[in-house]
Amino acid sequence: MKSFLLLLLLLLVFVSFSTTTNAAYNIVDFGAKADGKTDAAAAFRKAWAAACGAAKPAMIYVPVGRFFVSQGLFQGPCKNNATRVFIDGTLLAPPGYGGGAGMWIKFQYVDGLSIYGGTLDGRGQAMWACKTAKLRCPTAVTSLTISKSKNVLIRGLTSLNSEGFHMSIYGSSGVTVLRAKIFAPDESPNTDGIHIQLSSSVTIVNTTIGTGDDCISMGAGTANVRIQGITCGPGHGISIGSLGGVLGDPGVENITVKSVVLLGTQNGLRIKTWGNPYDGYVRGVVFQHAIMKKVQNPIVIDQNYCPGRVNCPGQSSGIKISNISYADVRGSSATKVAVKFDCSASKPCVGIALQDIKLTYMSSSTPAQSFCNNAKGSISGVINPPSCL
């Protein structure tokens, strides 16, 4: 029913654009063929040039069918601030791996972009096999990149089997992702659902994500983010970090994660920083109304992140973590330690607030546990497992 309503909405908007003074451009009119083989990249670029160059609101339309697109790099600024892309069909990435210098579909320097519907099939299986075999692989391609843009809406998009990240929001502001569906197998490496970095005022709502890495990850310079109504799993959970891997990374602040469900994920609500002395911060984070089902690490702050034990053993994280609240987090943990705050000796976690935490270990005969190291905070309501703050 939802798919029918979305299709009806797209049809109505398309008819509206076609019958008014707004400009509408169908990629088929520029030579694209829905055969899944003929490269439609040139047709897409021509349609973009026409729409972006229009002085009035403009629309690009991708009809039903399978369109092979070797690469789509779409750049502004546009002459209008209402360029819309309506996709009824499926865009197919190249069948090999490592093309496009790490990016497949990219929009940059655009103000007022909207993307509705459609499917992006990243066909990342060859890249996953290369990584799994530990070969010398090229850079994995991100399926959709929003770069240095503002006032962007992505609604009803489906992303499948990306080589690397499914969606990257970089250096942008005012980006909303609504009712997206993002999927890759749980064994697919580094296929983060949505990655946010150096961006502010980002909203992700009513979205389903299941991948081989973080469902949503927030890197350095992320601020004023609202994440709500997310179903995550499989994957590595909803993560802030990793931070502090290099000198000079900006901090992360004002993050709200609300009304989320995590299903069998490696982590639940996670903050992770490298065990390096580089300065930085994570502050003003609210985790609220979260349901965990067989999650390995439901609540975790890890300031001793050091994969491979290279360059950081024995060092202390310089990232200051403060004012982090967890309220109404409940469900089951797949490990005994359901709440873990492993913080920095030089920059202890402060201002951690726990309220109404109800997490149980899957083994009914063994109670769940908490672990604290260099962490200070407060508790209220019912706390299970008992707090170690």
Side-chain angles (χ1 to χ4, degrees):
M1 184 64 180
K2 289 182 179 179
S3 300
F4 173 76
L5 292 175
L6 178 59
L7 182 61
L8 181 60
L9 172 63
L10 296 178
L11 179 61
L12 290 174
V13 175
F14 179 63
V15 171
S16 174
F17 263 79
S18 301
T19 56
T20 65
T21 58
N22 296 308
Y25 304 96
N26 188 323
I27 64 169
V28 172
D29 295 335
F30 291 90
K33 296 181 179 180
D35 57 9
K37 298 178 180 179
T38 304
D39 192 356
F44 222 130
R45 286 194 299 269
K46 291 175 183 178
W48 173 260
C52 185
K56 53 190 176 182
M59 183 190 78
I60 297 171
Y61 180 61
V62 180
V64 173
R66 294 168 63 82
F67 295 88
F68 167 55
V69 179
S70 57
Q71 190 176 36
L73 302 180
F74 308 112
Q75 187 160 308
C78 296
K79 289 185 178 180
N80 66 81
N81 60 357
T83 301
R84 304 180 185 183
V85 181
F86 288 87
I87 307 173
D88 278 339
T90 297
L91 304 185
L92 301 173
Y97 56 73
M103 298 177 189
W104 177 33
I105 306 295
K106 178 182 178 182
F107 294 90
Q108 182 168 271
Y109 303 124
V110 182
D111 181 359
L113 170 69
S114 299
I115 302 172
Y116 295 91
T119 298
L120 305 182
D121 188 345
R123 299 203 279 188
Q125 290 85 349
M127 174 61 75
W128 308 338
C130 180
K131 288 186 173 182
T132 301
K134 300 183 186 292
L135 303 176
R136 295 184 63 181
C137 310
T139 301
V141 170
T142 297
S143 285
L144 175 63
T145 300
I146 305 298
S147 175
K148 300 179 181 179
S149 297
K150 57 184 179 179
N151 302 320
V152 176
L153 171 65
I154 301 169
R155 177 170 181 155
L157 179 71
T158 297
S159 178
L160 304 175
N161 299 327
S162 181
E163 281 190 5
F165 293 174
H166 284 256
M167 189 183 304
S168 173
I169 300 170
Y170 177 83
S172 298
S173 63
V175 179
T176 298
V177 179
L178 178 64
R179 296 176 183 168
K181 296 178 181 178
I182 299 174
F183 300 111
D186 57 359
E187 67 272 13
S188 59
N190 308 119
T191 53
D192 292 47
I194 301 174
H195 179 70
I196 309 168
Q197 189 155 345
L198 295 174
S199 297
S200 63
S201 300
V202 176
T203 300
I204 305 171
V205 178
N206 296 342
T207 288
T208 302
I209 306 173
T211 69
D213 211 300
D214 293 328
C215 289
I216 300 173
S217 56
M218 289 163 273
T222 300
N224 305 320
V225 173
R226 179 171 70 95
I227 297 168
Q228 184 171 347
I230 307 300
T231 298
C232 169
H236 293 182
I238 297 174
S239 296
I240 295 174
S242 57
L243 304 174
V246 297
L247 182 64
D249 269 350
V252 174
E253 61 185 337
N254 299 334
I255 310 296
T256 298
V257 179
K258 183 177 181 180
S259 301
V260 296
V261 177
L262 295 109
L263 306 172
T265 52
Q266 187 182 93
N267 303 285
L269 309 172
R270 175 171 62 160
I271 300 173
K272 64 175 180 175
T273 73
W274 284 79
N276 289 328
Y278 302 141
D279 290 338
Y281 59 83
V282 178
R283 62 195 182 201
V285 179
V286 175
F287 296 112
Q288 188 177 40
H289 308 316
I291 297 174
M292 309 282 174
K293 295 184 179 180
K294 299 181 180 180
V295 173
Q296 292 183 35
N297 303 289
I299 294 176
V300 55
I301 296 178
D302 179 10
Q303 289 206 265
N304 293 291
Y305 180 67
C306 190
R309 309 303 297 170
V310 177
N311 297 328
C312 46
Q315 299 189 62
S316 182
S317 175
I319 304 296
K320 182 177 181 179
I321 295 178
S322 61
N323 299 326
I324 314 295
S325 70
Y326 304 84
D328 185 28
V329 180
R330 50 198 167 89
S332 59
S333 173
T335 57
K336 292 181 181 178
V337 179
V339 178
K340 181 179 180 180
F341 299 128
D342 189 8
C343 298
S344 168
S346 60
K347 294 283 181 70
C349 299
V350 296
I352 296 176
L354 298 177
Q355 178 183 352
D356 295 327
I357 308 299
K358 301 175 184 178
L359 293 169
T360 59
Y361 180 41
M362 288 195 314
S363 173
S364 58
S365 61
T366 305
Q369 301 174 9
S370 296
F371 172 86
C372 293
N373 185 33
N374 304 311
K376 299 179 180 180
S378 61
I379 64 173
S380 61
V382 176
I383 305 296
N384 183 41
S387 173
C388 56
L389 289 172

